[in-house]
Amino acid sequence: MHFSSGSLPSVVALTVFLARASVYAHPHSFAIWAADSAIARGQGNGLDSNGEPTDSYEHGELQWGLRLLYETTGNESYFNYIVQGASQIVDSKGDIEGGYSIVAYSQDPIRTGPTFAYLYERTGQSKWKIAMDTYHQQLMGQPRTAEGQFWHKLIYYNQGWLDGIYMGEVFYTVYTNTFQPTNATAYADIAKQFDLMFQNTIQKKGVANYTGLMYHGYDYSHTASWASEDRGHSPEVWIRALGWYMMALVDILEIYPEDNSIFLDHLNTLVPRVRDAADPDSGVWWLVMTQPGRAGNYFESSGSAMFVYAMLKAVRLGYVVDNNGSIVKAATKAYQYMIDNWVVDNRDGTMDWLNTVLVGSLDGNGTFEYYTSIEVDTNDLKGLAAFLLASLEYETL
């Protein structure tokens, strides 16, 4: 609004200005703003862009955040949206929609399983247990490497990806807690999934572009074009794969009832290295973390938000001791960059979220050129849901 020199605005003009400011003002909470914006766009509602049911892990990620937001605020609309979305995925008989096929042995859809578990706990409706049983049946038949690692999908022969840990193992734990709480074999298997992934993908000192972090995945059979000679790992540390793994660590530590030393060891190894890998100026992280500053590389928003969530939650719950405050300082610096650069006020009560890479796969050659060639998306749910989670932790802090 422009005020002419030497004059005061009229009462009418000032009233209009204040009314517009009220409409445009976003909620005090960025977590609420992110959630409300996703809901306003119909994101994470159990349907794909064509209005067909989809058992998408992105929807499971958002529903996890909406559950936490509901528990924080008591706002029933978040719970109702979870029910609405999950009911698109699971029909009244408990069958999973969205083209789900148990024999595809893909871990990705299983990320919606924790939502079913939550709704079964809240409602007692049998359809949620039936759907959970289906996912559990899949995991029990999931192809494995000779060491015992779940394949990421049937089509990826002998391959373990960091992504799969987030998709499958949190549900595996929730299911075991709910229906098989004395199954020590299952709990040992869950810990083994994390540890095999860690041991087969963690960077060893002396390698080129050393970060001490985890490569995107590995091929136990060493037959993939990208498999290294030593452990069969992929060539680069890709930000979102590591982000999935970090979030899985802090989420499972809250619910795993047995000896959690493996998870704590991994988390305490990774958190300081993630802190140190941040760009010193911006405070956030590069898409390809093994090649910071290389032409074509850029700061990526979904992985950065995942790191902030994992770091702050790890410190808040005492899983990682932040003696000198450097971990929280790094996470809060990154969060400030995120809201300054990747949050856009649409002036209609909603926000946009920028700079999330659309996808990352080991279906090809896993090179730097591959990762940096993928399109960057606006309001990609993988990034927006991670920002919701990061905001919840930041606002708790």
Side-chain angles (χ1 to χ4, degrees):
M1 184 173 184
H2 176 69
F3 297 160
S4 60
S5 176
S7 67
L8 293 173
S10 68
V11 172
V12 173
L14 183 57
T15 301
V16 170
F17 173 73
L18 293 174
R20 287 176 175 169
S22 176
V23 170
Y24 293 153
H26 63 76
H28 178 68
S29 161
F30 279 91
I32 291 174
W33 200 17
D36 290 352
S37 298
I39 291 171
R41 288 188 287 265
Q43 294 182 273
N45 65 352
L47 301 175
D48 63 18
S49 58
N50 296 316
E52 298 295 326
T54 177
D55 48 0
S56 166
Y57 63 87
E58 300 176 31
H59 293 211
E61 182 192 4
L62 177 67
Q63 289 159 356
W64 184 271
L66 292 179
R67 174 182 66 83
L68 297 176
L69 191 57
Y70 167 58
E71 291 170 354
T72 300
T73 65
N75 186 334
E76 290 282 344
S77 67
Y78 299 127
F79 177 76
N80 294 338
Y81 197 76
I82 295 170
V83 174
Q84 174 191 335
S87 296
Q88 302 283 8
I89 304 170
V90 177
D91 70 15
S92 60
K93 297 179 294 183
D95 292 332
I96 301 170
E97 304 288 342
Y100 172 75
S101 170
I102 194 171
V103 295
Y105 291 109
S106 170
Q107 292 199 69
D108 286 346
I110 294 176
R111 184 58 214 183
T112 58
T115 300
F116 307 160
Y118 175 61
L119 294 179
Y120 179 66
E121 177 190 344
R122 288 293 306 270
T123 70
Q125 289 181 291
S126 61
K127 71 173 188 175
W128 303 120
K129 182 181 185 301
I130 293 168
M132 291 168 68
D133 288 341
T134 300
Y135 280 160
H136 185 258
Q137 181 185 351
Q138 178 193 318
L139 283 178
M140 293 305 95
Q142 192 80 7
R144 296 172 182 251
T145 68
E147 291 182 307
Q149 182 85 70
F150 288 147
W151 296 8
H152 187 60
K153 297 181 183 180
L154 180 63
I155 60 173
Y156 298 131
Y157 178 73
N158 263 295
Q159 293 179 26
W161 298 10
L162 272 62
D163 319 40
I165 294 291
Y166 183 77
M167 306 311 165
E169 270 50 73
V170 174
F171 168 74
Y172 192 178
T173 307
V174 169
Y175 186 93
T176 306
N177 288 350
T178 305
F179 303 113
Q180 303 175 358
T182 62
N183 190 341
T185 301
Y187 288 121
D189 190 30
I190 292 162
K192 185 177 184 178
Q193 295 303 315
F194 277 82
D195 200 43
L196 285 173
M197 190 68 71
F198 184 86
Q199 300 302 335
N200 282 291
T201 63
I202 192 73
Q203 277 194 304
K204 304 293 188 181
K205 287 184 178 179
V207 301
N209 303 319
Y210 175 75
T211 64
L213 299 171
M214 298 168 72
Y215 295 107
H216 187 168
Y218 73 101
D219 172 15
Y220 183 77
S221 67
H222 290 61
T223 57
S225 63
W226 43 257
S228 66
E229 291 185 5
D230 56 350
R231 290 170 293 149
H233 62 71
S234 58
E236 304 289 356
V237 174
W238 179 56
I239 187 173
R240 190 157 68 227
L242 184 61
W244 292 130
Y245 191 84
M246 297 282 287
M247 291 206 300
L249 282 172
V250 293
D251 288 347
I252 205 167
L253 275 163
E254 277 193 297
I255 60 174
Y256 189 80
E258 301 290 311
D259 177 9
N260 62 10
S261 56
I262 284 177
F263 311 116
L264 289 173
D265 180 66
H266 294 180
L267 191 61
N268 279 274
T269 298
L270 292 169
V271 165
R273 296 178 184 181
V274 168
R275 174 199 61 200
D276 295 345
D279 174 69
D281 296 324
S282 67
V284 292
W285 293 268
W286 296 89
L287 173 78
V288 181
M289 300 180 69
T290 23
Q291 303 206 41
R294 179 175 169 180
N297 209 353
Y298 58 88
F299 302 141
E300 200 278 332
S301 67
S302 67
S304 292
M306 291 172 179
F307 292 158
V308 169
Y309 169 70
M311 293 164 73
L312 291 180
K313 185 172 182 177
V315 173
R316 175 173 64 83
L317 296 179
Y319 303 142
V320 174
V321 177
D322 189 19
N323 285 321
N324 61 3
S326 62
I327 295 168
V328 168
K329 182 179 180 181
T332 54
K333 179 178 180 179
Y335 187 81
Q336 189 62 50
Y337 181 93
M338 287 158 51
I339 62 174
D340 288 345
N341 292 273
W342 294 331
V343 173
V344 177
D345 188 342
N346 291 323
R347 313 298 287 172
D348 62 358
T350 68
M351 56 158 278
D352 281 344
W353 175 255
L354 308 180
N355 250 53
T356 295
V357 67
L358 193 60
V359 71
S361 174
L362 291 174
D363 191 33
N365 58 17
T367 61
F368 175 87
E369 290 77 12
Y370 160 73
Y371 288 117
T372 55
S373 72
I374 301 300
E375 180 183 353
V376 171
D377 200 10
T378 297
N379 294 326
D380 189 291
L381 201 53
K382 295 180 288 293
L384 184 61
F387 176 65
L388 163 57
L389 291 167
S391 296
L392 280 168
E393 285 299 326
Y394 181 85
E395 289 161 12
T396 300
L397 177 74

